[in-house]
Amino acid sequence: MSTRSTIHLVEATVLEHHHLDGEQHILRVQADDIAADARPGSFAHITCDPCLPMRRPISILRADRRQGWVEFLYKVVGEGTRRLAERGEGELLSILGPIGRPFSFDTARRRPLLIGGGVGMPPMIFLAETMRGEKDLQPFVILGSEVPFPFTARPSTVMVPGMPEGVIAAMPLLEDRGIASRLASTRGYAGCFEGYVTDLARHWLDALDEEARGQVEVFACGPHPMLEAVARLARDYNLPCQVSMEEFMACGVGGCAGCVVEVQTETGPAMKRVCVDGPVFEAGEVFPF
Amino acid sequence: MWSVQPLAIYCKIPLMASSDETSTDGPDASLRVDFCGLDFASPLVLLSGCVGFGEEYTRVKGFSNRDVGAVCLKGTTLEPRLGNPPHRVYETPAGMLNAIGLQNPGARHVVEKILPQLDFSETRFIANLSGSTVEEYAEVARIFDDSPIDAMEINISCPNVKEGGVAFGNDPDMSARVVAACRKVTDKPLITKLSPNQTDIAENARRCLEAGSDAFAVINTLMGMAIDAESREAIIGNNQGGLSGPAIKPVALLKVHQVYQVCRDHGVPIIGQGGVASAEDAIEFLIAGASAVGVGTALFYDPLLCPKINAGIENYLARHGLARVSQLTGTLRLNSPPVRQPGCGV
């Protein structure tokens, strides 16, 4: 089912724009209507430059309803995001959002596992913060990156079962909220697990007893091969899993069917629109194995 | 992957305004158009393939189908189609390529499940007929004939599978056969959507008119390709796709002008379309000979564009002392003497 939630078109003022290593950027804009309705997994469709009129879909990192700001973490991958990175404080950006079917979690599953890779990190951070509002949930977040992380990692004070020796690096923002996190990379960054996010996830899952493992629900956003590996992991452990997909996008509101992903349904294959049927899908639909 | 070069022309496209600037009263009476007997509240028509089956854009706060004269629904075939594999869209200088592949749930599903959901008091809804054979077009037309749909647009740019896959619309003979077959099964207004990918669009229009077309939509997309130089791969999943957006506007204006020469004496109206992104663009199409103007790709830039175009046309009419938008149609002042034939060093 596609989502019918309201999408706002706003001219948003750039409040802050931080430029990080690895051509990564954190952009904060004043967009009250979007902040009010944003959910973990939803995204915004942004005009990066008036001279490049097709919008670019960018996932939402965080939103503050009270103050009305929305934050995005993005990486330069082409001309659109390169121009977006040039936007300065006080400039206006045309933003359409929030868009899409967000993640939905089952509060009965008390040990959500959140896996974010590269520019797939933002929705996981948003989701973890949202879950923190549910007192019984104990989310564990694994973030992976092949370029320097868009934050300065620090040693964790939150114990996590199954972590190999020396895997202590955590994301400060999550750590400050008491959310367990660990980092993975094949680049040998200090304190990070050297390998893939899914390998680190296996260490954690194997360290849980059967009852605890039965309380795990998996959420992932990141590059397609990572999502496929996460879907396989979830299948191996018989865990429910949602993945957030991306695809080149034109309208962003379900009108053009330009951004599809092939899914398996009870009646056979179907093409679903990433913008309004997704971007979050059940992993088994997209990766039927 | 979105790597395109900037063009100064883009900068004419206005940034969208905040939603509180959008009208709620609907278009001014001066914008009303009689199109094949249908009352269009505005000359603007939302183009097939850009707005799903009519309700998708209503998710956007401030958007209303009441701001346009008609909405063309997504291309519909007899049986459901999955469409093409991704990537289906790609931005190119001053436009975009698309190759959706007619993803649709089939004509019966559209008539039985989707049309009952549409509010026909908001605007006029036009079906878009597609097919692989002449018989399929006719069958889709017959299904829509038995429905509340206001009119039918024939998308003759589909490949003819029985005759080597050449697009029906690239050949006047095949185009006319499709129109004639649809004409036999319906009295609803038939609008033939003409392709620019052919030698003589005016001749094609003439043949389709003789075959019973009530109106024309000019133009469909121009076929194009995008290549990733690093990987040497075609970017679009279907390898080729249709080019739309401001890049094709000059081509579309010329084609509307050419088709208007055929239509003028018969009172056959044209929906002019191709790269319309402002009131000025829309007015140019009307002057070239269009009675209505299609908006497609520019909606992706600004979903709330249509009320702004309406306001711009209203303003233009007032400035030029015109009471009705229809007074603009075909008022082009050509240079005299006429320019020399193309290909002769002009």
Side-chain angles (χ1 to χ4, degrees), chain B residues 187-205:
Chain B
D187 290 326
K188 290 184 192 270
L190 278 179
I191 306 159
T192 307
K193 188 171 186 174
L194 296 176
S195 166
N197 306 303
Q198 58 180 320
T199 310
D200 187 349
I201 196 170
E203 171 60 14
N204 196 318

Side-chain angles (χ1 to χ4, degrees), chain B:
Chain B
M1 294 291 286
W2 292 95
S3 57
V4 297
Q5 295 302 311
L7 283 187
I9 189 174
Y10 292 152
C11 296
K12 272 181 64 184
I13 298 161
L15 268 175
M16 90 310 153
S18 57
S19 55
D20 53 11
E21 282 182 34
T22 56
S23 73
T24 49
D25 303 336
D28 187 80
S30 63
L31 300 189
R32 299 205 92 83
V33 173
D34 179 315
F35 194 92
C36 296
L38 300 173
D39 181 21
F40 283 10
S42 149
L44 301 188
V45 176
L46 300 184
L47 296 183
S48 179
C50 299
V51 291
F53 284 98
E55 289 296 310
E56 303 296 351
Y57 265 86
T58 59
R59 288 183 176 87
V60 181
K61 192 176 179 193
F63 179 92
S64 171
N65 282 333
R66 294 182 191 277
D67 288 323
V68 295
V71 174
C72 283
L73 306 184
K74 183 152 179 47
T76 303
T77 50
L78 184 57
E79 301 299 332
R81 286 200 193 181
L82 274 180
N84 290 329
H87 303 304
R88 288 178 169 185
V89 292
Y90 187 72
E91 184 169 22
T92 56
M96 62 173 280
L97 288 169
N98 88 81
I100 309 300
L102 289 173
Q103 179 180 347
N104 79 93
R108 286 187 190 83
H109 180 95
V110 174
V111 167
E112 289 166 15
K113 307 286 187 197
I114 296 177
L115 296 191
Q117 310 283 326
L118 299 178
D119 182 352
F120 280 77
S121 74
E122 287 183 334
T123 188
R124 308 277 70 78
F125 289 103
I126 301 172
N128 179 284
L129 319 178
S130 301
S132 301
T133 63
V134 173
E135 295 76 21
E136 183 180 357
Y137 277 101
E139 183 59 12
V140 176
R142 196 192 56 72
I143 292 168
F144 275 108
D145 183 62
D146 189 20
S147 85
I149 205 80
D150 291 302
M152 301 181 209
E153 177 180 71
I154 313 175
N155 172 17
I156 52 171
S157 297
C158 304
N160 180 349
V161 297
K162 283 188 179 171
E163 295 179 35
V166 175
F168 289 96
N170 291 5
D171 178 88
D173 226 32
M174 290 201 296
S175 301
R177 272 156 50 201
V178 172
V179 173
C182 294
R183 181 76 289 163
K184 274 188 192 164
V185 298
T186 186
D187 290 326
K188 290 184 192 270
L190 278 179
I191 306 159
T192 307
K193 188 171 186 174
L194 296 176
S195 166
N197 306 303
Q198 58 180 320
T199 310
D200 187 349
I201 196 170
E203 171 60 14
N204 196 318
R206 194 173 292 113
R207 295 289 308 278
C208 290
L209 202 149
E210 288 166 4
S213 188
D214 298 305
F216 292 99
V218 183
I219 55 177
N220 206 332
T221 54
L222 287 143
M223 293 313 292
M225 181 180 255
I227 295 171
D228 183 327
E230 287 301 317
S231 67
R232 305 186 193 185
E233 291 170 340
I235 291 170
I236 293 287
N238 186 52
N239 296 318
Q240 57 180 307
L243 178 65
S244 63
I248 72 167
K249 194 186 90 172
V251 179
L253 280 173
L254 175 64
K255 300 296 175 189
V256 168
H257 168 66
Q258 291 171 338
V259 173
Y260 182 65
Q261 308 314 307
V262 177
C263 293
R264 182 175 44 202
D265 295 341
H266 301 277
V268 167
I270 297 167
I271 305 172
Q273 55 197 48
V276 173
S278 67
E280 191 180 355
D281 293 335
I283 290 162
E284 290 169 19
F285 274 94
L286 295 166
I287 292 168
S291 297
V293 179
V295 180
T297 301
L299 273 185
F300 306 162
Y301 309 161
D302 178 1
L304 303 182
L305 178 65
C306 290
K308 286 173 239 170
I309 296 182
N310 284 337
I313 298 174
E314 262 177 67
N315 180 279
Y316 180 92
L317 295 178
R319 280 195 295 115
H320 288 259
L322 299 169
R324 295 185 316 279
V325 69
S326 56
Q327 291 174 280
L328 271 177
T329 298
T331 54
L332 175 65
R333 295 171 186 159
L334 285 172
N335 296 317
S336 183
V339 293
R340 284 167 288 170
Q341 286 299 305
C344 298
V346 293

Side-chain angles (χ1 to χ4, degrees), chain A residues 3 7 51 55 83 94 247 255, chain B residues 6 10-11 16 52 59 87 301:
Chain A
T3 171
I7 298 171
C51 291
R55 294 164 183 273
R83 283 162 173 268
S94 169
E247 179 51 49
Chain B
Y10 292 152
C11 296
M16 90 310 153
R59 288 183 176 87
H87 303 304
Y301 309 161

Side-chain angles (χ1 to χ4, degrees), chain A residues 200-256:
Chain A
L200 184 58
R202 280 180 198 273
H203 280 285
W204 181 70
L205 287 166
D206 290 340
L208 299 179
D209 61 38
E210 202 165 327
E211 188 190 345
R213 230 179 1 247
Q215 297 175 329
V216 174
E217 183 173 16
V218 185
F219 306 87
C221 184
H224 197 91
M226 186 203 93
L227 295 181
E228 189 167 4
V230 171
R232 197 175 294 279
L233 173 86
R235 187 208 54 185
D236 291 349
Y237 287 85
N238 197 27
L239 300 171
C241 178
Q242 294 168 38
V243 293
S244 178
M245 307 299 294
E246 62 176 2
E247 179 51 49
F248 288 180
M249 195 173 282
C251 74
V253 302
C256 72

Side-chain angles (χ1 to χ4, degrees), chain A residues 8 45 62 153 198 254:
Chain A
H8 304 277
H45 214 22
R62 293 193 301 167
T198 40

